[in-house]
Amino acid sequence: MKNYKLFTATVFAFSLLLGFTACKPKNAGSAVSSDAASKVYVAPGKYDEFYNFVSGGFSGQLSAYGLPSGRLLRVIPVFSVDPEKGWGFSEETKPMLNTSHGFVPWDDLHHVQMSKTNGEYDGKWVFGNANNTPRVARIDLKTFRTAEIIELPNSGGNHSSPFITENTEYIVAGTRFSIPPDDKNGDVPINTYKQNFKGTISFISVSKADGSMDISFQLQCPGVNFDLSRAGKGVSHGWFFFSTYNTEQANTLLEVNASQKDKDFIMAVNWKKAEEYIKAGKGRKQSVKYAHNKYSDVTHSATSVIKTEVTVLDVKDFKDLCYFFPCPKSPHGCDVSPTGEYIVGSGKLAALIPVFSFDKLQKAIAAKDYIGEFDGIPILKYESVLYGEVKKPGLGPLHTEFDNKGFAYTSMFVSSEVVKWNIKDLKVVDRVPTYYSVGHLTVAGGDTKAPYGKYMVAYNKITKDRFLPTGPELSQSAQLYDISGDKMQLLLDFPTIGEPHYAQIIPADLVKANSIKFFKMEENKNPYFSNGEAATKVVREGNKVHVYMTAIRSHLTPDNIEGIRIGDEVYFHVTNLEQDWDVPHGFAIKGADNGELLVMPGETQTLKWVPNRVGMFPMYCTDFCSALHQEMSGYVRVSPAGSNTPLLFSTGKNYPVSDTAQKK
């Protein structure tokens, strides 16, 4: 009870502080200097300097913004259905949302990682995590589309994900919630957490040729909660660092019971050593069940395969694989400096920032400078691995990134600010308010070996009084800061989709030159592709009717279809015949319990429609494509089940009434 009262008092004090900082500061109107507008202005017809890829949080999507303008360029559907683009609605994309639990139409995308070569962004792919039903996605930056999604077995909440090694050897994902392993009986009392629950870290290999992912191996770890992590780089290449919490191994009222100890741990993982053990056959094969989904830009369709095995190393059986070292309790972040020498921990309830040394870590391991073990893993002395502490940076440190001048930037959730400090002497050199309750932040290239600097963006949880009111809930916000000078300068507020968590900023030149403008018709291998209007047709196969259709400015072929009956399953396979940039066509039909299709130039997509009443059903293009877009439409006639109405289809032709049905 004493601990509970102490914690409650602490939270109450933080809440009071949050309440004060979340009120509009007196200088809020003057926080933006007079030259801010010129620094974010991108003239009509000009491009932004950077892409900013931002997690969509509870929307399950990924968004792309231009910087410095803050203009929303694209919402990329990933883990949630999206009727605007037909994602999860077209027959070709439905398999992308398949899991071992079946079709899952929603998830929560928290974190974003750009692919890297030699520790620097290469502009090929961006990866995102599904927090709810554990998955990792790869988005292809040639098309700005989700190309692959892999489910993670042995995982209960994929928040500590996806984090990437410096040559994209692996995407690494840690479980947020420890659970009994998938091959064990999960029907156990919840209060047997310490005996039966385990945490799992997945190492997902990435093909250098095409980005294809595969679960290479998993590490079975103690039953704790894993949070944000970073790969080593430079001198620390071959290592991975995870923040962990709930080392109390509590299973109820975690806000109290998982904050009892003064310190939790950062876990250092020697993944190069894990590779050696796997190659030597030390891993055990475990029966599991997980989905692996891929989308092809050749067939314009997805496939989903259920896999049934992973290779697992139990870390307690390999004493040189993992090490714990203490960190202020309830850490949310673990970040690595550009050289790879410094590891920054962030305890959410701390009033300091510990900075650890990789060199000292190695010396402490060699000297076996331990203070004990936790579930079989050695615990190194805090003082033995500590480089130093940033004193009084603010309250609630969460996440740190780095610029190209030797400075670090840390978000402070409770005191609603970003603090800039020197990596070498650990002195705070600047601080700026955020509006309000900043979570993550990102610096351009801030997790790479060679940051670009120039801009920092803070992602805030509360925006009251920053934007026009929109009812009980306001948009979340991003705030752009110029960090090119000695002092950080607020330039811009811009609203974001969903709840932004992490984001990464990449130079536009690394991406835009490789962008695909349309799909070549001669390369379309979709089995329902119509190579021109002459190839269109309507085919009945029992109660299934396949409509091979084309779309071009400004008509559908066919645009009159008769002979559809109640009980039929109708599949509209729509091929967009355009071969020009930015000329998609949409397709929808009245009464469909589905989204529209959005079909890119040269692509084929399929909408399934099951009519449930007799009548006349308009169909039309949903994406404005030309001056005669309104005329790009047609009709489908639905007759009763068992009707002898012949199957007819045409464009630009009217059949005589006697050929179809008598007037009534």
Side-chain angles (χ1 to χ4, degrees):
M1 182 60 70
K2 182 179 179 181
N3 286 336
Y4 180 82
K5 289 180 178 178
L6 176 62
F7 180 81
T8 303
T10 302
V11 171
F12 180 69
F14 279 3
S15 298
L16 283 177
L17 178 59
L18 176 59
F20 289 129
T21 57
C23 295
K24 189 173 183 178
K26 293 180 180 179
N27 65 343
S30 60
V32 180
S33 63
S34 59
D35 65 339
S38 64
K39 289 186 175 182
V40 300
Y41 180 69
V42 177
K46 299 297 183 181
Y47 291 160
D48 279 284
E49 182 181 0
F50 292 95
Y51 285 104
N52 185 23
F53 291 97
V54 184
S55 71
F58 48 66
S59 77
Q61 316 297 32
L62 180 70
S63 54
Y65 295 83
L67 290 182
S69 72
R71 297 182 294 201
L72 176 62
L73 304 175
R74 185 75 171 168
V75 175
I76 305 169
V78 186
F79 296 117
S80 298
V81 295
D82 185 346
E84 178 192 355
K85 302 171 185 69
W87 183 254
F89 290 106
S90 72
E91 296 303 296
E92 285 82 1
T93 60
K94 285 179 180 178
M96 292 299 287
L97 299 181
N98 188 42
T99 74
S100 63
H101 305 274
F103 181 84
V104 175
W106 170 87
D107 216 307
D108 191 0
L109 195 162
H110 274 215
H111 302 127
V112 178
Q113 282 278 283
M114 311 300 303
S115 58
K116 296 185 179 80
T117 299
N118 192 31
E120 299 181 37
Y121 299 149
D122 56 25
K124 294 180 180 179
W125 309 297
V126 54
F127 299 87
N129 68 316
N131 189 26
N132 183 275
T133 303
R135 287 167 286 172
V136 168
R138 175 176 59 87
I139 294 90
D140 191 333
L141 291 181
K142 295 192 302 294
T143 59
F144 278 55
R145 279 184 169 178
T146 302
E148 189 173 12
I149 296 177
I150 192 166
E151 188 180 2
L152 302 178
N154 296 316
S155 181
N158 180 39
H159 184 258
S160 177
S161 166
F163 301 105
I164 194 168
T165 55
E166 64 179 329
N167 284 294
T168 319
E169 297 96 338
Y170 294 107
I171 297 296
V172 184
T175 186
R176 175 181 179 181
F177 308 112
S178 289
I179 56 173
D182 287 2
D183 63 339
K184 303 296 183 183
N185 179 19
D187 184 16
V188 295
I190 296 173
N191 64 10
T192 64
Y193 186 108
K194 293 183 180 181
Q195 294 76 38
N196 293 312
F197 290 51
K198 298 294 181 183
T200 300
I201 297 173
S202 301
F203 281 75
I204 304 165
S205 62
V206 180
S207 166
K208 293 186 182 300
D210 62 3
S212 294
M213 301 187 295
D214 190 33
I215 298 178
S216 182
F217 60 91
Q218 293 186 316
L219 302 181
Q220 183 173 291
C221 301
V224 297
N225 295 50
F226 289 90
D227 214 319
L228 305 189
S229 65
R230 279 286 187 260
K233 58 175 78 81
V235 296
S236 56
H237 175 69
W239 287 76
F240 227 98
F241 306 96
F242 291 84
S243 58
T244 71
Y245 64 103
N246 192 24
T247 52
E248 295 85 352
Q249 297 186 307
N251 58 270
T252 183
L253 197 63
L254 264 61
E255 65 171 323
V256 174
N257 294 322
S259 299
Q260 297 294 309
K261 296 181 179 179
D262 182 53
K263 287 183 169 61
D264 281 301
F265 299 127
I266 289 175
M267 188 172 80
V269 178
N270 187 338
W271 63 261
K272 281 290 188 181
K273 182 64 67 174
E275 276 189 333
E276 292 177 14
Y277 285 130
I278 292 295
K279 290 177 182 177
K282 301 294 185 181
R284 62 178 173 86
K285 301 296 183 182
Q286 181 189 341
S287 295
V288 291
K289 185 179 180 182
Y290 66 97
H292 190 177
N293 312 326
K294 290 185 177 182
Y295 189 87
S296 167
D297 287 327
V298 177
T299 63
H300 304 291
S301 56
T303 56
S304 179
V305 176
I306 297 295
K307 296 186 175 181
T308 58
E309 187 178 80
V310 289
T311 303
V312 179
L313 291 173
D314 191 331
V315 298
K316 73 176 185 298
D317 297 333
F318 305 91
K319 296 300 183 182
D320 55 354
L321 193 55
C322 294
Y323 304 87
F324 281 134
F325 53 91
C327 179
K329 63 183 177 182
S330 302
H332 184 59
C334 181
D335 299 281
V336 178
S337 67
T339 64
E341 170 59 24
Y342 302 111
I343 302 109
V344 180
S346 297
K348 294 197 294 287
L349 303 180
L352 57 81
I353 301 172
V355 181
F356 303 97
S357 162
F358 181 74
D359 180 61
K360 295 183 73 172
L361 171 68
Q362 295 305 298
K363 290 176 180 176
I365 290 171
K368 296 186 177 180
D369 198 1
Y370 306 148
I371 58 172
E373 288 189 350
F374 182 89
D375 201 6
I377 297 180
I379 304 173
L380 298 161
K381 289 182 181 177
Y382 179 77
E383 294 79 10
S384 297
V385 296
L386 183 70
Y387 173 73
E389 296 173 338
V390 181
K391 304 292 187 180
K392 298 181 179 179
L395 291 174
L398 288 186
H399 184 58
T400 299
E401 291 215 340
F402 308 89
D403 68 11
N404 54 344
K405 298 178 181 179
F407 295 101
Y409 301 77
T410 302
S411 56
M412 298 288 172
F413 178 79
V414 177
S415 51
S416 290
E417 59 185 333
V418 173
V419 174
K420 177 181 178 181
W421 49 275
N422 188 294
I423 298 174
K424 288 297 179 68
D425 64 19
L426 308 184
K427 301 294 185 183
V428 173
V429 298
D430 191 24
R431 62 179 70 237
V432 291
T434 61
Y435 305 97
Y436 309 93
S437 300
V438 57
H440 284 274
L441 57 74
T442 186
V443 172
D447 74 327
T448 70
K449 289 172 66 174
Y452 308 107
K454 193 166 186 177
Y455 295 120
M456 179 269 291
V457 181
Y459 299 93
N460 305 319
K461 305 301 183 185
I462 298 173
T463 57
K464 54 188 175 185
D465 74 43
R466 299 302 289 181
F467 301 126
L468 285 171
T470 52
E473 184 188 23
L474 302 177
S475 171
Q476 282 78 25
S477 83
Q479 291 189 301
L480 176 68
Y481 294 81
D482 180 351
I483 60 171
S484 59
D486 292 336
K487 298 292 184 180
M488 295 176 280
Q489 178 190 4
L490 176 61
L491 300 180
L492 181 70
D493 285 13
F494 58 96
T496 63
I497 68 163
E499 180 192 3
H501 290 266
Y502 186 47
Q504 292 196 323
I505 301 168
I506 183 171
D509 289 343
L510 286 179
V511 177
K512 66 182 184 182
N514 297 319
S515 181
I516 290 178
K517 292 182 169 58
F518 57 86
F519 298 104
K520 296 178 181 178
M521 294 277 290
E522 60 270 21
E523 296 176 359
N524 188 327
K525 302 300 181 185
N526 187 293
Y528 299 103
F529 167 57
S530 294
N531 191 11
E533 294 182 4
T536 59
K537 57 187 176 181
V538 180
V539 178
R540 176 177 288 280
E541 297 174 355
N543 73 325
K544 291 182 171 60
V545 178
H546 294 274
V547 179
Y548 294 73
M549 176 179 284
T550 60
I552 195 168
R553 290 167 286 184
S554 299
H555 61 273
L556 303 171
T557 302
D559 65 3
N560 282 197
I561 302 171
E562 304 190 31
I564 304 300
R565 306 167 189 153
I566 294 294
D568 284 345
E569 293 180 2
V570 185
Y571 295 86
F572 293 94
H573 309 291
V574 184
T575 298
N576 182 343
L577 298 180
E578 309 286 355
Q579 292 288 269
D580 195 6
W581 191 17
D582 196 27
V583 192
H585 288 296
F587 178 82
I589 187 164
K590 178 184 176 182
D593 58 350
N594 215 337
E596 64 155 354
L597 295 180
L598 189 63
V599 192
M600 296 299 112
E603 183 182 46
T604 301
Q605 291 286 286
T606 300
L607 184 138
K608 178 183 177 181
W609 176 56
V610 181
N612 60 9
R613 66 186 69 175
V614 171
M616 195 64 64
F617 293 82
M619 56 183 178
Y620 64 103
C621 176
T622 57
D623 191 285
F624 195 95
C625 54
S626 69
L628 297 178
H629 165 72
Q630 290 291 95
E631 286 74 17
M632 193 169 175
S633 61
Y635 293 100
V636 176
R637 174 188 172 189
V638 177
S639 300
S643 168
N644 60 1
T645 304
L647 188 64
L648 298 172
F649 58 94
S650 63
T651 298
K653 176 181 179 180
N654 282 315
Y655 286 100
V657 172
S658 59
D659 287 354
T660 56
Q662 297 297 317
K663 291 182 178 179
K664 296 182 181 179

